[in-house]
Amino acid sequence: MTPPRNSNAVRDVANVLHPYTDARAHQANGPMVITRGEGVRVWDDQGRSYIDTVAGLWCAALGFSNERLVEAAAAQMRKLPFYHAFTSKSHEPVIDLSEMLIERAPVPMSKVFFANSGSEANDSAMKMIWYFNNAIGRPQKKKLIARIKGYHGVTVAAASLTGLPYNHKLFDLPIAGVLHTSNPHFYHEGREGESEQDFSTRMAAELEEMILREGPDTVAAMFAEPVMGAGGVIVPPAGYWEKIQAVLKKYDVLLVADEVICGFGRTGNYWGSETFGMQPDILVCAKALSSSYLPISAVMVNDRVFQGLADGSSSLGTWGHGFTYSGHPVAAAVAVETLKIYDEMDLVGMVKRTGPVLQAGIQALADHPLVGEARGVGMIGALELVEDKATKRNFDASKKIAVRAQKLCEAQGLIMRVLPGDGIAFSPPLVISADELAEVFTGVTRALDTLAVELRREGFAIV
């Protein structure tokens, strides 16, 4: 049925350029228009309800209707709707939030800088690292290492760190000085007979070879997610971070922990760094910082990095970086209230109770004919769909098998996230209940069963 000409869908197609969307397909098919949310559910403009199994974009930790956050925003809007943090200006929300983040940091941190998104925060961290090394007399130590399939954002610099082809092709990226080391996905990259520990040793050796090849005096930092999110929900293998950090320490390469997805309880600890024993020099966070009710991100730096930034700014008269909305008082006030709610609800304890339910549901589908690997930790996970389980062979990308699964899940009242390599992500609001998770996995199972039947009819050897 063609929607009326004045419908939201038609107006959207006529006027909106969507992020991460096939624009031609969108012109033909139109959008799903979401009109309201309550708890872990959202409703479209046709009145259909869905459990959002990825909390929007890995981010709405408290769901879609937390009244305390609404009230915190309204109160701050009435008191001080805007002020900036340039030239030593400040306000109470940014002071409170900075203090709270420093108190909760997984390792000792010195100062907090605010931005508006994870992309901006990673971009800022890159500039900090270059500025720091210039300030302390190491002008050649500038190269940055990220990982194949890592995700760090979409600004020019942050997208260069991101190790995914669709963030580089046609954009003329990555920029010079950004390198990509191996993807630590043991399922696909592990060799026959290789243990996880041996695989991690090889990953560390490849990193060291890269640093030596480039020259240790030219390599400044490594950016890494504790669990790789948008690149596939790739959980690091045993021993990985211990071995990687030993290499970084050996060559005085800073570690930047990208906690944009993993921070604030997602992996079963307050920070993903704690789950995997990471000791970052710089920590980037966003998303669940405000439960994504308002845009805000943060970069925490340790004292060594801060002292370099401070010396550089003293020599020049200013640190010439910042955004109009850095530490915006309304966003900061909402983030302060978010952290208070996390404390009151015992966020980590709640995830330790609910996380095993999510992981059990994911693992229960490991034997499904379409599932090659079921993986995850805490309240994040993924199913990877494969054409041949025995050889781990993926479907041809042009078949868009995971997209078909996504549409079938929508018919079951579930909004899913498709990942590279035909993955389906799970990252629900942290407030989801065991009963709601049961509903999710009932729907996913039905969708995958339907997809398996369709593929067999199309001639695929799904067994």
Side-chain angles (χ1 to χ4, degrees), residues 20 117-120 122-123 150-163 167-168 173 258 260:
Y20 280 91
S117 68
S119 298
E120 288 181 6
N122 277 314
D123 209 305
Y151 188 87
H152 301 287
V154 296
T155 52
V156 169
S160 296
L161 290 173
T162 293
N167 294 106
H168 294 167
L173 296 176
D258 184 336
V260 170

Side-chain angles (χ1 to χ4, degrees), residues 1 54 71 74 118 130 171 174 207 232-233 246-247 273 301 310 377:
M1 176 179 174
V54 280
E71 292 174 359
W130 293 331
F171 289 116
L207 174 63
V233 185
V247 173
S273 294
V301 299
V377 61

Side-chain angles (χ1 to χ4, degrees), residues 410-422:
E410 287 177 5
Q412 296 292 328
L414 306 173
I415 291 179
M416 309 295 295
R417 171 73 180 263
V418 170
L419 303 170
D422 281 328

Side-chain angles (χ1 to χ4, degrees), residues 202-216:
R202 178 161 61 87
M203 294 293 99
E206 290 179 9
L207 174 63
E208 184 167 21
E209 289 167 8
M210 173 179 281
I211 293 171
L212 291 172
R213 184 170 61 250
E214 297 293 329

